[in-house]
Amino acid sequence: MRLRPEEVLDLELLARLHTGVTPRSAISHTTSALLWPLPLPATLEAEERGNGLIHVTRRAEIGRVKRRGVVGHRAPLLARDVRFINGVALTSPEWTWVDLAAILGRDALVAAGDALLARENPLSSLEAIQEVVDRRPKVKGIRMARAILPLLRRGVDSPLESKLRMRILDAGLPEPLVTQPVHDAHGNYVSTPDLQYREYRIALEYEGEHHLTDPVQWGRDIERDDRLRSMGWIVLRFSKYQLRQGWPASERKLRSALAERGWRAAA
């Protein structure tokens, strides 16, 4: 679920008004996540949009904001921890992610962190996230942030791709590579699977709903898979259904493909 354009404008306006009358402050926590935007679980996003509350963090030496419609926080913000987007002061993406560690579960926090490192227009880097984690040793949720940081990967295209990767790891299967290009024997580019086991020539593609509604994209996906299969690759496709009620069958299919290509689980 993502905010509609008019909802973004409304949220930006509220954020601008609140920070405008509150010196040395920044929009933070889930409000900041919505404005960057970072993916949040659908239920949490709906709750945050429906309650009309704005999270505002002031520097630690100043009192917490106490105003109707505001959830006030205090933190030792440095100048680099605040960014201005469309005139709104927001906590930086990496600072916001650490704040989310006190709120989100593992898979949701991985998805939010992967979004910071997206293939297109990344908002941050692993080094920047690590620096903020190291600088906030006592903040609520820091143990979760430290545990999740090694699970983040660069180049993920969507939150559901992150969830697919976590499902695979939870099943005790080897971790696949994320968005690495595949070339043919002559060095020509063929495809960039969402996930892949290069050693076993297995590609995993997550098909979002937009793939089904765009006939051009759908046709390109078919051609992409055909090119890989012609090179001897196994191509497995996943959707929202496979990640939910269809996961047991999907796990068996993936496990079977790996075994077929020579993978053996550790004894």
Side-chain angles (χ1 to χ4, degrees), residues 180-193 196 198 201 227-228 231 233:
Q180 294 296 307
V182 174
H183 298 84
D184 65 19
H186 304 289
N188 300 311
Y189 172 77
V190 175
S191 175
T192 301
Q196 66 173 279
R198 182 166 294 174
R201 291 188 298 169
R227 289 194 298 271
L228 283 171
M231 294 168 54
W233 283 64

Side-chain angles (χ1 to χ4, degrees), residues 38-51:
L38 298 179
L40 296 176
T43 53
L44 176 61
E45 185 170 325
E47 179 183 338
E48 290 299 307
R49 289 193 291 122
N51 63 24

Side-chain angles (χ1 to χ4, degrees), residues 92-189:
S92 70
E94 47 274 7
W95 188 281
T96 301
W97 184 80
V98 174
D99 282 340
L100 293 177
I103 304 167
L104 302 182
R106 186 202 65 171
D107 287 1
L109 192 60
V110 168
D114 282 351
L116 296 182
L117 311 172
R119 178 162 46 158
E120 296 185 8
N121 303 315
L123 294 172
S124 190
S125 66
L126 284 170
E127 294 74 19
I129 301 170
Q130 182 72 66
E131 191 274 334
V132 173
V133 168
D134 292 342
R135 195 154 40 91
R136 305 185 68 188
K138 297 181 180 180
V139 71
K140 185 177 181 181
I142 194 62
R143 289 185 179 179
M144 171 72 89
R146 288 177 180 143
I148 295 303
L149 185 56
L151 296 175
L152 304 188
R153 296 292 179 265
R154 296 182 176 93
V156 178
D157 287 330
S158 79
L160 289 173
E161 289 177 23
S162 300
K163 185 172 183 178
L164 174 57
R165 194 174 83 252
M166 290 300 98
R167 287 278 198 178
I168 291 169
L169 293 180
D170 287 344
L173 298 172
E175 180 176 357
L177 296 174
V178 174
T179 55
Q180 294 296 307
V182 174
H183 298 84
D184 65 19
H186 304 289
N188 300 311
Y189 172 77

Side-chain angles (χ1 to χ4, degrees), residues 207-218 221 237 239:
E207 308 294 358
E209 293 176 1
H210 68 283
H211 289 253
L212 300 176
T213 57
D214 184 342
V216 174
Q217 182 64 55
W218 185 250
D221 291 346
R237 302 170 78 169
S239 70

